[in-house]
Amino acid sequence: MRILAIETSCDETAVCVLEADGEFGSGFSYKILGNALFSQAEKHAEFGGVFPNLAKREHEKNLVPIMRAALGEAGLLKNGVSDASGLAAVLEREKELLAQLQDFLGSHAKPDIDYIAVTHGPGLEPALWVGVNFACALAAAWQLPIVAVNHMEGHIVVAALAQPKPIEFPALSLLVSGGHTELVLSREWLQYEMLGSTRDDAAGEAFDKSARLLGLPYPGGPEISRLAAEARKYGGSTSLSLPRPMIDSNDFDFSFSGLKTAVRRAIEGKELSAAEKAAMAREVEEAIVEVLVTKTIRAAEEYGARTIICGGGVSASVYLRAELSRKASPYAIKPLFPPRELSTDNAIMIGLAGYFHALKNEYADPAMMAAQGNLKLA
Ligand code: KG4
Ligand code: ZN
């Protein structure tokens, strides 16, 4: 099956073409034929976080060129004409996208793909709508079915496929991104029970907000991780210790909003040297990771997990990977992580999750498609 996948839930505009075959656990394989991604991070940097309407405008501007690049890499750009007659109604609120797509379809025939997978939630609703409407417009022009994909499921699936052999259930997923921190149990493939989630800030948000207080650019997660690694290498630690919020609570929920307040208090009125800043970054990363790992291991124990999966942007943290692996090893579990470049948002994870839903004939009705900012896994 050949899938065109689209992701616009946050500040990455991403499109890919995947070729996938086989069932999960039985001969599954896939190939990335084409992949293109434009990160808007720099544009949002001045706001210190993602600004939803700017994200929407950027997706509108970038989707057609990004799709053209992905199809081009896959060798699927075909001269000809596609039927663009119904587009105006679908893209009535995305005028710039409409004009670009009409132009593209006026000189390109339908590419050789079987269906379209698109993120319909969770995420920033204005941003999600652009991707959803774009997918509906393409589906109408090319007479293709659509699969609506949950973004968080994409993060799980791309991590679960990190090993070639089928995973064993129950599988516990730790999802850590800019908007979510969740512990999710799967007793079978594509089935989810929510064990706990954050009551306020997500783990990625805690990284980003702490980074901002330390004067580091957005997105702050990679910056904190980089400085923390330097501090570890050169032995820099700080006498200021941050709290480990809810680490001993009798549930699987998280709370990270207190961390930024603690960081603010710790550095208020101080002119930090580079070494002190790195030491503080180290403490931020270690506080967040200690809470995440402790609760994940406790949940794995309580639910008898035989697999641990970790996905979402924060799973790019080398320190989180090392700590989770270290703490899981007494249970003979080797946690699964996505390839590092697929930890943060991308279209490949959306195509993969979409493929497994298409195998179950779970297609969306374009007339009923809607962006769902608060879409839940369970
Ligand atoms: O999954 P993702 O790309 O987007 C959302 O779905 O939100 O996650 C983005 C988050 C940001 O908060 C970013 O700072 C964080 O992931 N992040 C990291 C690292 N790389 C990205 N956090 C810690 N260490 C990293 N290396
Ligand atoms: Zn994400």
Side-chain angles (χ1 to χ4, degrees), residues 102-126:
Q102 277 171 332
D103 189 46
F104 178 84
L105 294 177
S107 56
H108 291 89
K110 176 184 172 177
D112 184 11
I113 53 176
D114 298 296
Y115 52 86
I116 296 167
V118 63
T119 307
H120 69 137
L124 304 169
E125 251 174 50

Side-chain angles (χ1 to χ4, degrees), residues 251-274:
D251 54 31
F252 297 113
D253 283 345
F254 301 89
S255 165
F256 289 113
S257 72
L259 265 186
K260 61 174 185 287
T261 319
V263 172
R264 185 180 297 126
R265 288 220 185 93
I267 64 174
E268 218 155 43
K270 297 196 179 90
E271 200 49 65
L272 296 186
S273 68

Side-chain angles (χ1 to χ4, degrees), residues 22-323:
E23 304 255 348
F24 174 70
S26 152
F28 173 73
S29 68
Y30 77 97
K31 223 163 87 187
I32 302 164
L33 301 183
N35 183 35
L37 182 146
F38 175 75
S39 171
Q40 308 167 6
E42 255 175 38
K43 314 228 167 191
H44 294 279
E46 63 177 295
F47 303 101
V50 183
F51 190 63
N53 282 321
L54 175 61
K56 173 185 151 60
R57 283 198 301 277
E58 285 292 314
H59 289 313
E60 277 191 53
K61 209 162 71 186
N62 298 320
L63 265 172
V64 171
I66 288 291
M67 174 181 72
R68 183 197 293 269
L71 286 172
E73 189 189 346
L76 294 176
L77 285 174
K78 222 168 28 178
N79 287 336
V81 184
S82 302
D83 173 19
S85 58
L87 288 198
V90 187
L91 294 177
E92 63 183 343
R93 271 179 280 172
E94 287 89 10
K95 292 278 186 259
E96 182 172 3
L97 181 58
L98 173 65
Q100 285 196 38
L101 188 56
Q102 277 171 332
D103 189 46
F104 178 84
L105 294 177
S107 56
H108 291 89
K110 176 184 172 177
D112 184 11
I113 53 176
D114 298 296
Y115 52 86
I116 296 167
V118 63
T119 307
H120 69 137
L124 304 169
E125 251 174 50
L128 286 163
W129 269 116
V130 185
V132 165
N133 288 336
F134 184 61
C136 289
L138 291 176
W142 292 334
Q143 295 293 298
L144 290 171
I146 299 183
V147 189
V149 176
N150 181 312
H151 178 90
M152 301 315 288
E153 186 170 46
H155 279 306
I156 293 180
V157 168
V158 69
L161 296 175
Q163 64 167 28
K165 59 179 194 272
I167 60 172
E168 291 184 58
F169 295 97
L172 176 70
S173 297
L174 169 67
L175 294 174
V176 275
S177 69
H180 291 80
T181 304
E182 293 174 343
L183 275 169
V184 182
L185 191 74
S186 298
R187 296 186 194 275
E188 53 184 287
W189 187 229
L190 307 184
Q191 299 280 314
Y192 308 100
E193 283 168 46
M194 192 61 64
L195 303 184
S197 58
T198 182
R199 296 183 180 175
D200 41 58
D201 290 356
E205 216 172 341
F207 271 100
D208 295 338
K209 289 179 175 171
S210 303
R212 198 171 185 203
L213 289 166
L214 290 172
L216 302 169
Y218 172 85
E223 290 293 318
I224 295 257
S225 281
R226 185 179 56 77
L227 282 185
E230 269 177 29
R232 252 171 241 121
K233 195 163 156 196
Y234 301 112
S237 61
T238 170
S239 55
L240 301 163
S241 71
L242 295 173
R244 272 47 175 169
M246 290 182 74
I247 198 163
D248 292 319
S249 73
N250 213 2
D251 54 31
F252 297 113
D253 283 345
F254 301 89
S255 165
F256 289 113
S257 72
L259 265 186
K260 61 174 185 287
T261 319
V263 172
R264 185 180 297 126
R265 288 220 185 93
I267 64 174
E268 218 155 43
K270 297 196 179 90
E271 200 49 65
L272 296 186
S273 68
E276 285 167 332
K277 207 184 255 192
M280 197 63 203
R282 174 181 179 175
E283 178 63 9
V284 168
E285 181 168 56
E286 294 188 357
I288 296 170
V289 166
E290 193 178 333
V291 175
L292 293 174
V293 170
T294 304
K295 293 211 133 171
T296 304
I297 297 298
R298 202 182 299 143
E301 235 175 49
E302 185 163 328
Y303 288 90
R306 301 179 66 181
T307 303
I308 295 176
I309 293 166
C310 180
V314 179
S315 76
S317 159
V318 174
Y319 181 72
L320 170 59
R321 289 179 176 224
E323 281 299 290

Side-chain angles (χ1 to χ4, degrees), residues 328-377:
S329 69
Y331 302 86
I333 296 178
K334 212 166 151 251
L336 298 174
F337 301 95
R340 271 197 80 219
E341 68 281 9
L342 298 183
S343 294
T344 48
D345 292 350
N346 62 84
I348 291 157
M349 67 185 204
I350 303 307
L352 290 171
Y355 172 75
F356 292 107
H357 284 286
L359 276 187
K360 300 190 346 176
N361 265 318
E362 291 170 357
Y363 293 102
D365 174 357
M368 304 294 288
M369 283 279 286
Q372 296 174 48
N374 292 316
L375 185 66
K376 303 269 185 284
L377 267 178

